[in-house]
mmCIF file of all heavy atoms in Angstrom:
data_model
loop_
_atom_site.group_PDB
_atom_site.id
_atom_site.type_symbol
_atom_site.label_atom_id
_atom_site.label_comp_id
_atom_site.label_asym_id
_atom_site.label_seq_id
_atom_site.Cartn_x
_atom_site.Cartn_y
_atom_site.Cartn_z
ATOM 1 N N VAL B 1 0.865 -1.225 -0.037
ATOM 2 C CA VAL B 1 -0.005 -0.009 -0.006
ATOM 3 C C VAL B 1 0.920 1.200 -0.012
ATOM 4 O O VAL B 1 0.582 2.299 -0.698
ATOM 5 C CB VAL B 1 -0.886 -0.007 1.215
ATOM 6 C CG1 VAL B 1 -1.636 1.317 1.322
ATOM 7 C CG2 VAL B 1 -2.030 -1.135 1.090
ATOM 8 N N LEU B 2 1.986 1.204 0.801
ATOM 9 C CA LEU B 2 2.830 2.377 0.843
ATOM 10 C C LEU B 2 3.511 2.593 -0.550
ATOM 11 O O LEU B 2 3.739 3.682 -1.018
ATOM 12 C CB LEU B 2 3.891 2.194 1.920
ATOM 13 C CG LEU B 2 3.454 2.357 3.349
ATOM 14 C CD1 LEU B 2 4.577 1.959 4.263
ATOM 15 C CD2 LEU B 2 2.910 3.692 3.571
ATOM 16 N N GLY B 3 3.844 1.435 -1.194
ATOM 17 C CA GLY B 3 4.419 1.515 -2.504
ATOM 18 C C GLY B 3 3.528 2.178 -3.586
ATOM 19 O O GLY B 3 3.955 2.947 -4.475
ATOM 20 N N PHE B 4 2.130 2.002 -3.398
ATOM 21 C CA PHE B 4 1.150 2.647 -4.314
ATOM 22 C C PHE B 4 0.945 4.094 -3.873
ATOM 23 O O PHE B 4 1.003 4.966 -4.684
ATOM 24 C CB PHE B 4 -0.073 1.829 -4.264
ATOM 25 C CG PHE B 4 -0.195 0.676 -5.086
ATOM 26 C CD1 PHE B 4 -0.388 -0.573 -4.591
ATOM 27 C CD2 PHE B 4 0.003 0.773 -6.528
ATOM 28 C CE1 PHE B 4 -0.494 -1.680 -5.334
ATOM 29 C CE2 PHE B 4 -0.017 -0.401 -7.297
ATOM 30 C CZ PHE B 4 -0.327 -1.615 -6.713
ATOM 31 N N ALA B 5 0.760 4.318 -2.621
ATOM 32 C CA ALA B 5 0.287 5.577 -2.121
ATOM 33 C C ALA B 5 1.404 6.712 -2.043
ATOM 34 O O ALA B 5 1.139 7.835 -2.311
ATOM 35 C CB ALA B 5 -0.430 5.536 -0.699
ATOM 36 N N LEU B 6 2.634 6.154 -1.747
ATOM 37 C CA LEU B 6 3.707 7.058 -1.525
ATOM 38 C C LEU B 6 4.861 6.850 -2.544
ATOM 39 O O LEU B 6 6.079 6.934 -2.063
ATOM 40 C CB LEU B 6 4.222 7.062 -0.114
ATOM 41 C CG LEU B 6 3.158 7.328 0.949
ATOM 42 C CD1 LEU B 6 3.712 7.211 2.359
ATOM 43 C CD2 LEU B 6 2.661 8.850 0.796
ATOM 44 N N GLN B 7 4.552 6.438 -3.735
ATOM 45 C CA GLN B 7 5.611 6.054 -4.571
ATOM 46 C C GLN B 7 6.575 7.215 -4.920
ATOM 47 O O GLN B 7 7.698 6.940 -5.114
ATOM 48 C CB GLN B 7 4.864 5.656 -5.915
ATOM 49 C CG GLN B 7 5.938 4.988 -6.900
ATOM 50 C CD GLN B 7 5.221 4.284 -8.053
ATOM 51 O OE1 GLN B 7 3.939 4.427 -8.232
ATOM 52 N NE2 GLN B 7 5.959 3.611 -8.879
ATOM 53 N N GLY B 8 6.115 8.434 -4.937
ATOM 54 C CA GLY B 8 6.957 9.561 -5.183
ATOM 55 C C GLY B 8 7.626 10.175 -4.000
ATOM 56 O O GLY B 8 8.325 11.158 -4.121
ATOM 57 N N SER B 9 7.380 9.583 -2.825
ATOM 58 C CA SER B 9 7.951 10.136 -1.556
ATOM 59 C C SER B 9 8.649 9.077 -0.763
ATOM 60 O O SER B 9 8.081 8.503 0.228
ATOM 61 C CB SER B 9 6.857 10.825 -0.786
ATOM 62 O OG SER B 9 6.215 11.811 -1.480
ATOM 63 N N PRO B 10 9.760 8.588 -1.165
ATOM 64 C CA PRO B 10 10.471 7.544 -0.400
ATOM 65 C C PRO B 10 10.785 7.883 1.017
ATOM 66 O O PRO B 10 10.744 7.020 1.877
ATOM 67 C CB PRO B 10 11.730 7.308 -1.286
ATOM 68 C CG PRO B 10 11.942 8.547 -2.084
ATOM 69 C CD PRO B 10 10.624 9.026 -2.329
ATOM 70 N N ALA B 11 11.098 9.112 1.268
ATOM 71 C CA ALA B 11 11.441 9.501 2.681
ATOM 72 C C ALA B 11 10.233 9.362 3.616
ATOM 73 O O ALA B 11 10.274 8.815 4.677
ATOM 74 C CB ALA B 11 12.014 10.935 2.754
ATOM 75 N N LEU B 12 9.066 9.796 3.116
ATOM 76 C CA LEU B 12 7.831 9.733 3.839
ATOM 77 C C LEU B 12 7.377 8.265 3.967
ATOM 78 O O LEU B 12 6.897 7.844 5.002
ATOM 79 C CB LEU B 12 6.789 10.502 3.163
ATOM 80 C CG LEU B 12 5.409 10.597 3.879
ATOM 81 C CD1 LEU B 12 5.513 11.136 5.318
ATOM 82 C CD2 LEU B 12 4.296 11.451 3.059
ATOM 83 N N GLN B 13 7.569 7.562 2.902
ATOM 84 C CA GLN B 13 7.395 6.131 2.886
ATOM 85 C C GLN B 13 8.060 5.417 4.059
ATOM 86 O O GLN B 13 7.527 4.546 4.788
ATOM 87 C CB GLN B 13 7.584 5.475 1.570
ATOM 88 C CG GLN B 13 7.308 4.005 1.414
ATOM 89 C CD GLN B 13 7.791 3.399 0.127
ATOM 90 O OE1 GLN B 13 8.983 3.158 -0.073
ATOM 91 N NE2 GLN B 13 6.842 3.227 -0.867
ATOM 92 N N GLN B 14 9.406 5.767 4.139
ATOM 93 C CA GLN B 14 10.296 5.070 5.157
ATOM 94 C C GLN B 14 9.812 5.542 6.565
ATOM 95 O O GLN B 14 9.784 4.670 7.456
ATOM 96 C CB GLN B 14 11.641 5.463 4.892
ATOM 97 C CG GLN B 14 12.738 4.814 5.802
ATOM 98 C CD GLN B 14 12.870 3.330 5.463
ATOM 99 O OE1 GLN B 14 12.939 2.967 4.376
ATOM 100 N NE2 GLN B 14 12.800 2.534 6.564
ATOM 101 N N GLN B 15 9.375 6.803 6.739
ATOM 102 C CA GLN B 15 9.028 7.268 8.039
ATOM 103 C C GLN B 15 7.766 6.502 8.492
ATOM 104 O O GLN B 15 7.698 6.146 9.696
ATOM 105 C CB GLN B 15 8.706 8.796 7.973
ATOM 106 C CG GLN B 15 8.373 9.351 9.239
ATOM 107 C CD GLN B 15 8.214 10.899 9.223
ATOM 108 O OE1 GLN B 15 8.389 11.434 8.279
ATOM 109 N NE2 GLN B 15 7.794 11.487 10.319
ATOM 110 N N VAL B 16 6.741 6.453 7.594
ATOM 111 C CA VAL B 16 5.563 5.753 7.938
ATOM 112 C C VAL B 16 5.801 4.297 8.345
ATOM 113 O O VAL B 16 5.279 3.696 9.167
ATOM 114 C CB VAL B 16 4.427 5.849 6.886
ATOM 115 C CG1 VAL B 16 3.179 5.036 7.113
ATOM 116 C CG2 VAL B 16 4.190 7.366 6.742
ATOM 117 N N LEU B 17 6.673 3.607 7.454
ATOM 118 C CA LEU B 17 6.943 2.195 7.772
ATOM 119 C C LEU B 17 7.590 2.022 9.053
ATOM 120 O O LEU B 17 7.407 1.185 9.861
ATOM 121 C CB LEU B 17 7.817 1.588 6.607
ATOM 122 C CG LEU B 17 8.105 0.182 6.685
ATOM 123 C CD1 LEU B 17 6.807 -0.629 6.530
ATOM 124 C CD2 LEU B 17 9.095 -0.254 5.668
ATOM 125 N N ASP B 18 8.544 2.915 9.340
ATOM 126 C CA ASP B 18 9.322 2.845 10.647
ATOM 127 C C ASP B 18 8.365 2.979 11.863
ATOM 128 O O ASP B 18 8.488 2.276 12.834
ATOM 129 C CB ASP B 18 10.359 3.822 10.757
ATOM 130 C CG ASP B 18 11.625 3.565 9.793
ATOM 131 O OD1 ASP B 18 11.682 2.439 9.320
ATOM 132 O OD2 ASP B 18 12.331 4.483 9.433
ATOM 133 N N SER B 19 7.390 3.914 11.650
ATOM 134 C CA SER B 19 6.413 4.016 12.675
ATOM 135 C C SER B 19 5.595 2.863 12.914
ATOM 136 O O SER B 19 5.208 2.441 14.059
ATOM 137 C CB SER B 19 5.430 5.310 12.419
ATOM 138 O OG SER B 19 6.317 6.454 12.310
ATOM 139 N N ALA B 20 5.164 2.185 11.739
ATOM 140 C CA ALA B 20 4.420 1.066 11.901
ATOM 141 C C ALA B 20 5.116 -0.126 12.559
ATOM 142 O O ALA B 20 4.628 -0.935 13.320
ATOM 143 C CB ALA B 20 3.791 0.584 10.539
ATOM 144 N N LEU B 21 6.420 -0.268 12.054
ATOM 145 C CA LEU B 21 7.272 -1.389 12.598
ATOM 146 C C LEU B 21 7.669 -1.250 14.055
ATOM 147 O O LEU B 21 8.224 -2.183 14.702
ATOM 148 C CB LEU B 21 8.515 -1.479 11.751
ATOM 149 C CG LEU B 21 8.312 -1.945 10.238
ATOM 150 C CD1 LEU B 21 9.603 -1.944 9.459
ATOM 151 C CD2 LEU B 21 7.727 -3.259 10.235
ATOM 152 N N ALA B 22 7.462 -0.009 14.576
ATOM 153 C CA ALA B 22 7.710 0.216 15.977
ATOM 154 C C ALA B 22 6.726 -0.693 16.817
ATOM 155 O O ALA B 22 7.056 -0.980 17.999
ATOM 156 C CB ALA B 22 7.548 1.721 16.408
ATOM 157 N N GLN B 23 5.604 -1.100 16.269
ATOM 158 C CA GLN B 23 4.673 -1.969 16.956
ATOM 159 C C GLN B 23 5.264 -3.471 17.046
ATOM 160 O O GLN B 23 4.798 -4.259 17.792
ATOM 161 C CB GLN B 23 3.291 -2.036 16.331
ATOM 162 C CG GLN B 23 2.769 -0.610 16.110
ATOM 163 C CD GLN B 23 2.546 0.106 17.232
ATOM 164 O OE1 GLN B 23 2.076 -0.327 18.277
ATOM 165 N NE2 GLN B 23 2.974 1.435 17.337
ATOM 166 N N PHE B 24 6.278 -3.702 16.200
ATOM 167 C CA PHE B 24 6.860 -4.996 16.187
ATOM 168 C C PHE B 24 8.391 -4.848 16.367
ATOM 169 O O PHE B 24 9.168 -4.994 15.449
ATOM 170 C CB PHE B 24 6.633 -5.684 14.877
ATOM 171 C CG PHE B 24 5.190 -5.737 14.460
ATOM 172 C CD1 PHE B 24 4.767 -4.826 13.455
ATOM 173 C CD2 PHE B 24 4.249 -6.487 15.105
ATOM 174 C CE1 PHE B 24 3.414 -4.779 13.139
ATOM 175 C CE2 PHE B 24 2.886 -6.413 14.719
ATOM 176 C CZ PHE B 24 2.500 -5.588 13.751
ATOM 177 N N PRO B 25 8.823 -4.494 17.589
ATOM 178 C CA PRO B 25 10.226 -4.074 17.802
ATOM 179 C C PRO B 25 11.273 -5.051 17.510
ATOM 180 O O PRO B 25 12.408 -4.762 17.104
ATOM 181 C CB PRO B 25 10.242 -3.670 19.289
ATOM 182 C CG PRO B 25 9.130 -4.489 19.840
ATOM 183 C CD PRO B 25 8.018 -4.499 18.796
ATOM 184 N N VAL B 26 10.967 -6.379 17.589
ATOM 185 C CA VAL B 26 12.000 -7.425 17.447
ATOM 186 C C VAL B 26 12.457 -7.472 15.943
ATOM 187 O O VAL B 26 13.573 -7.666 15.599
ATOM 188 C CB VAL B 26 11.467 -8.739 17.811
ATOM 189 C CG1 VAL B 26 12.518 -9.782 17.560
ATOM 190 C CG2 VAL B 26 11.157 -8.660 19.338
ATOM 191 N N ILE B 27 11.487 -7.213 14.945
ATOM 192 C CA ILE B 27 11.890 -7.296 13.589
ATOM 193 C C ILE B 27 11.810 -6.015 12.796
ATOM 194 O O ILE B 27 12.168 -5.916 11.582
ATOM 195 C CB ILE B 27 10.870 -8.215 12.860
ATOM 196 C CG1 ILE B 27 9.428 -7.695 12.897
ATOM 197 C CG2 ILE B 27 10.907 -9.705 13.497
ATOM 198 C CD1 ILE B 27 8.507 -8.339 12.043
ATOM 199 N N GLY B 28 11.565 -4.851 13.475
ATOM 200 C CA GLY B 28 11.396 -3.600 12.774
ATOM 201 C C GLY B 28 12.550 -3.196 11.996
ATOM 202 O O GLY B 28 12.569 -2.804 10.858
#
């Protein structure tokens, strides 16, 4: 979904993903 929605904003894509992966700290 991030690849579709934020295809032109890799920095924002990475920030959103890092925030989501904070819910899974062992593999984030």
